[in-house]
Amino acid sequence: MNKPFDLEERTFLFAKEYRIYVQKLPKTISNLEDGKQLVRSSGSVGANYIEANEKLGDKDFLFRVKI
């Protein structure tokens, strides 16, 4: 399978795959809590990248991408 080069697309697929993964975990208290955190953090990767693309300059892009 060819991986998409577009980082925005890749971060979207990353978040989507982790949501599918979390759904397959056993429904224990710790998995539910950790799963919620994993879903939130996997989605924030893409959100931070999209925000970094709305840069004000090169230094701003580097600062935002490091987040």
Side-chain angles (χ1 to χ4, degrees):
M1 180 175 142
N2 290 334
K3 292 184 180 179
F5 182 75
D6 179 26
L7 195 53
E8 193 169 321
E9 176 73 11
R10 288 176 62 194
T11 58
F12 170 75
L13 293 174
F14 174 79
K16 183 179 173 183
E17 288 176 19
Y18 271 95
R19 281 165 174 73
I20 293 168
Y21 172 75
V22 167
Q23 289 176 347
K24 294 178 182 178
L25 291 174
K27 304 294 185 234
T28 64
I29 292 173
S30 60
N31 282 353
L32 290 172
E33 291 303 314
D34 293 343
K36 288 178 191 178
Q37 179 62 37
L38 183 60
V39 166
R40 283 192 302 271
S41 62
S42 68
S44 70
V45 172
N48 287 335
Y49 180 73
I50 290 168
E51 189 170 323
N53 274 335
E54 298 170 358
K55 62 184 179 181
L56 300 174
D58 290 337
K59 287 184 179 181
D60 186 48
F61 176 77
L62 290 175
F63 170 75
R64 292 178 183 272
V65 133
K66 289 178 183 179
I67 294 173

